[in-house]
């Protein structure tokens, strides 16, 4: 079994570095037992390049153009030599080794213009350095915000598969923290002004589209969200109606009881949840999936509760978290298919 918290990378010195993500306590012992065998093979550095003069996303997008044009050539070469090519443009398979796939990911702190909303939006951009496929993913966090180590680790893993992942601060520096009294939660969530969050998400999507357009790439974006962000996936896609986004993934989305909004969603959505999650009832998700149609899919994991895919709390949850990640990765192949079709047509 591959552990969900396999991420063992070192950070450079100096300002602007992200803290090293910490594994969940339940998986810590399992991780330590694997450290000796994994550390030697995972020598990736996760560097923030604060002096980078050009846009990091435009640089990634520009580099991916030749990657897409040469995808079929590499696929043929791999077939003829019998050697596995760890390239995100190939179909993601269950048995792909993370050591091979995750070549190198760079991280950048970015500020996005709020597009009429006061101030700028802080965000982290994770981009694949090798095998960058020119596809942007907007990742919406749970209530613990964009600095949470579990969410950043998940974003890193997505980027390892060739993507450019933008993780914005949805709560403008005021995420929910575990030390707050639970009785204050509804007051806090009400203070996260719905229109403000929606505008920030729209501004981040536009920023990504503009950055790719500046590099001559017009691929559709993918939208992924957890918990609070998973519920926002449906709202955002309904508002977008296929303009920027080509596909969605909602992990155990919350506050989705108003299913009527789903009728405006114009792209397929993968719903991943647990059948023991009181915050994301399977019946509600199935209703939304039927309303959207377009090949959408619901996958419910037996016995799993809230947050298992990015916060596994046991070895069993860790195994299902890995399965959920593979489902998401294969679902994102839909974006790659669109991008490759557009590239061949051009």
């Amino acid at each position: 079994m591959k552990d969900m918290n396999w991420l063992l990378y070192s950070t450079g010195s100096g300002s602007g570095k992200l803290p090293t993500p910490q594994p969940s306590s339940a998986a810590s012992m399992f991780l330590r037992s694997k450290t000796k065998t994994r550390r030697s093979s995972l020598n990736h550095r996760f560097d923030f390049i604060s002096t980078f003069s050009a846009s990091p996303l435009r640089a990634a997008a520009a580099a991916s153009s030749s990657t897409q044009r040469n995808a079929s050539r590499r696929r043929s070469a791999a077939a003829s030599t019998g050697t596995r090519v760890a390239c995100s443009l190939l179909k993601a398979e269950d048995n792909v080794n993370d050591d091979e796939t995750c070549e190198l990911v760079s991280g950048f702190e970015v500020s996005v213009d709020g597009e009429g909303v006061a101030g700028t939006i802080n965000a982290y951009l994770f981009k694949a350095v090798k095998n960058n496929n020119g596809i942007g993913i907007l990742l919406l966090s749970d209530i613990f915000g964009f600095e949470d180590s579990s969410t950043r680790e998940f974003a890193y893993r997505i980027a390892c598969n060739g993507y450019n992942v933008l993780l914005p601060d949805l709560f403008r520096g005021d995420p929910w923290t575990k030390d707050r009294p639970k009785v204050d939660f509804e007051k806090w969530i009400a203070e996260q002004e719905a229109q403000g969050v929606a505008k920030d998400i729209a501004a981040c999507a536009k920023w990504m589209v503009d950055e790719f357009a500046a590099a001559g790439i017009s691929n559709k974006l993918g939208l992924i969200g957890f918990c609070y962000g998973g519920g926002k996936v449906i709202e955002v896609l309904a508002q977008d109606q296929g303009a920027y986004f080509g596909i969605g993934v909602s992990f155990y989305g919350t506050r989705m009881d108003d299913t009527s909004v789903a009728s405006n969603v114009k792209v397929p959505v993968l719903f991943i949840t647990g059948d023991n999650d009181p915050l994301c009832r399977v019946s509600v998700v199935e209703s939304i999936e039927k309303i959207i149609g377009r090949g959408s899919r619901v996958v419910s994991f037996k016995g799993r509760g809230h947050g298992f895919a990015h916060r596994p709390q046991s070895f069993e949850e860790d195994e299902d978290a890995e399965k959920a990640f593979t489902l998401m990765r294969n679902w994102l192949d839909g974006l790659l298919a669109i991008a490759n079709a557009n590239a061949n047509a051009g």
Side-chain angles (χ1 to χ4, degrees):
M1 179 186 73
K2 294 192 294 183
D3 55 291
M4 180 67 171
N5 295 286
W6 55 268
L7 185 56
L8 298 172
Y9 60 79
S10 60
T11 57
S13 60
S15 62
K17 308 294 181 183
L18 280 177
T20 302
Q22 298 299 316
S24 61
S25 57
S28 295
M29 185 177 297
F30 183 52
L31 261 181
R32 286 197 294 271
S33 69
K34 285 199 168 189
T35 299
K36 290 183 179 179
T37 58
R38 302 285 290 187
R39 192 181 299 277
S40 61
S41 58
L42 290 177
N43 294 321
H44 317 302
R45 289 189 63 80
F46 190 71
D47 290 326
F48 277 71
I49 307 177
S50 58
T51 57
F52 199 84
S53 58
S55 163
L57 186 51
R58 293 185 191 185
S64 72
S65 297
S66 60
T67 301
Q68 291 186 12
R69 286 194 296 268
N70 294 327
S72 60
R73 188 185 311 164
R74 284 200 304 273
R75 188 178 292 109
S76 299
S80 61
T81 61
T83 302
R84 175 177 298 282
V85 177
C87 174
S88 58
L89 293 178
L90 304 183
K91 179 174 174 57
E93 300 174 5
D94 292 354
N95 61 347
V96 172
N97 190 322
D98 280 322
D99 295 357
E100 297 175 1
T101 305
C102 186
E103 301 285 356
L104 183 64
V105 170
S106 288
F108 303 87
E109 293 178 312
V110 298
S111 294
V112 178
D113 187 348
E115 295 290 332
V117 182
T120 58
I121 306 155
N122 294 324
Y124 292 142
L125 174 65
F126 302 78
K127 73 180 185 69
V129 175
K130 296 186 69 175
N131 297 325
N132 191 296
N133 57 30
I135 300 291
I137 302 291
L138 184 58
L139 179 61
L140 308 181
S141 72
D142 58 19
I143 59 174
F144 299 109
F146 82 132
E147 292 184 310
D148 176 77
S149 60
S150 296
T151 301
R152 283 200 309 252
E153 176 184 331
F154 203 93
Y156 183 95
R157 289 197 67 191
I158 298 172
C160 282
N161 285 268
Y163 295 94
N164 304 278
V165 184
L166 186 68
L167 177 61
D169 177 10
L170 299 180
F171 308 114
R172 294 295 188 110
D174 182 33
W176 181 255
T177 55
K178 295 179 181 178
D179 59 351
R180 293 188 181 187
K182 292 183 179 179
V183 295
D184 293 342
F185 180 76
E186 289 301 327
K187 178 183 177 182
W188 171 83
I189 200 74
E191 291 173 349
Q192 309 305 318
E193 202 267 312
Q195 290 299 318
V197 172
K199 289 178 180 177
D200 282 358
I201 294 172
C204 289
K206 184 178 185 302
W207 180 84
M208 295 192 82
V209 169
D210 288 347
E211 290 291 299
F212 279 114
I217 295 177
S218 58
N219 294 332
K220 293 285 188 178
L221 304 176
L223 183 64
I224 301 174
F226 301 112
C227 312
Y228 175 87
K232 289 297 179 185
V233 164
I234 305 306
E235 295 178 20
V236 172
L237 292 179
Q239 183 67 32
D240 178 72
Q241 296 195 15
Y244 288 161
F245 296 102
I247 211 165
V249 182
S250 176
F251 284 91
Y252 24 80
T254 59
R255 300 174 181 262
M256 297 192 300
D257 291 332
D258 181 10
T259 60
S260 62
V261 68
S263 61
N264 291 320
V265 175
K266 306 301 182 184
V267 298
V269 180
L270 171 65
F271 296 90
I272 295 177
T273 190
D275 67 0
N276 194 30
D277 186 347
L279 300 178
C280 181
R281 292 174 295 160
V282 175
S283 60
V284 172
V285 173
E286 289 178 340
S287 296
I288 295 174
E289 179 264 339
K290 290 179 181 178
I291 293 172
I292 296 174
R294 302 176 184 275
S296 296
R297 182 183 176 192
V298 175
V299 179
S300 175
F301 284 80
K302 185 175 178 58
R304 297 293 163 244
H306 198 66
F308 76 92
H310 73 304
R311 300 181 190 280
Q313 298 299 311
S314 68
F315 301 137
E316 292 77 17
E317 281 196 353
D318 185 76
E319 189 172 41
D320 280 347
E322 192 66 24
K323 293 177 182 176
F325 187 89
T326 299
L327 284 168
M328 176 209 66
R329 186 179 61 189
N330 290 343
W331 188 258
L332 294 178
D333 278 355
L335 287 173
L336 292 172
I338 295 172
N340 289 336
N342 290 340
N344 292 333

